[in-house]
Amino acid sequence: MTLGLDISTTVVGISLFDSENKICSLEYIKFKEKTTLFERLDDFIKYMDTLSSALGLENSEHKIEHISIEEPLKKFKGRFSNADTIQKLTFMNAMISGYLYRKFGTVPRYYNVNTARKTAFPDLKIPQSAPNKKYIIWESVVEREPQINWKYSKRTHKLMKENFDMSDAYVCGLCDIITREKTEKNIVKD
């Protein structure tokens, strides 16, 4: 199975693909405000334990063998990135990566967001001037996976922004699957 994650300090998008590379779970965990990064890690661990139990991931038939994670920001980009934000994202990413390695015995692979998008949707052209690139990616995931029930606000009935975190986790997982398939084909050719 392949686990794909989009990690931030407020929300983690989680995708899980089965052994036939079909999406079997697309979730998110949203952290409570005013909690430390360590408390958020604890919440993530509890969430993953519940998800693992519900999906039978402790069973050897349904073992997570591949973990893919969207790389944290490495440079300043717009008004949402400053040194403190980048440091917290990197720290959160490292804590979750360490936990996943210890739990599943698998070294995560990291993908740049743009590389992951191009790999998952090679024909998708996202204009530089697009006001909401995440919405365009979400639409691509919706088109590929029409069976997914997306999250809407009970109050406003609008699409919740956590769907974009789930979409990014999906893209990261799909990118990992495609990258591994290409690598295996190249090995077989040689």
Side-chain angles (χ1 to χ4, degrees), residues 53-176:
S53 179
L55 296 174
L57 299 180
E58 307 304 324
N59 178 335
S60 62
E61 276 181 45
H62 301 292
K63 188 175 187 300
I64 292 178
E65 294 179 354
H66 307 281
I67 300 171
S68 55
I69 300 174
E70 185 179 295
E71 283 183 345
L73 287 174
K74 292 182 178 176
K75 61 182 178 178
F76 300 114
K77 190 172 185 179
R79 63 186 174 118
F80 295 110
S81 62
N82 59 42
D84 188 49
T85 301
I86 291 172
Q87 182 268 331
K88 284 180 182 174
L89 280 170
T90 302
F91 189 64
M92 187 71 171
N93 199 304
M95 289 193 312
I96 288 176
S97 295
Y99 158 73
L100 292 170
Y101 172 73
R102 286 187 27 226
K103 180 165 181 69
F104 298 110
T106 299
V107 175
R109 284 183 286 278
Y110 301 89
Y111 294 95
N112 171 277
V113 64
N114 294 319
T115 302
R117 289 173 178 173
K118 286 177 191 168
T119 303
F121 299 108
D123 298 328
L124 182 64
K125 304 290 183 233
I126 303 174
Q128 277 298 91
S129 61
N132 194 344
K133 293 177 178 132
K134 287 187 174 269
Y135 188 83
I136 295 169
I137 296 302
W138 174 79
E139 286 180 318
S140 298
V141 176
V142 168
E143 187 176 310
R144 185 178 168 100
E145 304 286 352
Q147 79 284 5
I148 293 174
N149 292 318
W150 297 95
K151 314 292 184 198
Y152 290 86
S153 168
K154 291 177 183 171
R155 189 174 51 84
T156 64
H157 306 288
K158 291 184 178 179
L159 190 67
M160 293 171 59
K161 64 181 180 178
E162 288 81 8
N163 289 293
F164 303 133
D165 300 294
M166 292 166 35
S167 295
D168 285 345
Y170 177 93
V171 167
C172 197
L174 183 59
C175 171
D176 188 58

Side-chain angles (χ1 to χ4, degrees), residues 10-95:
T10 56
V11 177
V12 176
I14 304 165
S15 66
L16 189 62
F17 294 81
D18 66 18
S19 58
E20 296 175 6
N21 299 330
K22 303 223 181 316
I23 190 74
C24 61
S25 181
L26 193 56
E27 314 270 335
Y28 73 90
I29 176 172
K30 185 171 185 173
F31 301 114
K32 296 177 193 116
E33 290 184 37
K34 299 187 193 245
T35 56
T36 68
L37 294 182
F38 293 101
E39 291 167 318
R40 292 172 190 207
L41 175 63
D42 286 342
D43 290 342
F44 177 81
I45 290 170
K46 287 177 197 163
Y47 190 87
M48 284 303 295
D49 286 346
T50 302
L51 185 63
S52 292
S53 179
L55 296 174
L57 299 180
E58 307 304 324
N59 178 335
S60 62
E61 276 181 45
H62 301 292
K63 188 175 187 300
I64 292 178
E65 294 179 354
H66 307 281
I67 300 171
S68 55
I69 300 174
E70 185 179 295
E71 283 183 345
L73 287 174
K74 292 182 178 176
K75 61 182 178 178
F76 300 114
K77 190 172 185 179
R79 63 186 174 118
F80 295 110
S81 62
N82 59 42
D84 188 49
T85 301
I86 291 172
Q87 182 268 331
K88 284 180 182 174
L89 280 170
T90 302
F91 189 64
M92 187 71 171
N93 199 304
M95 289 193 312

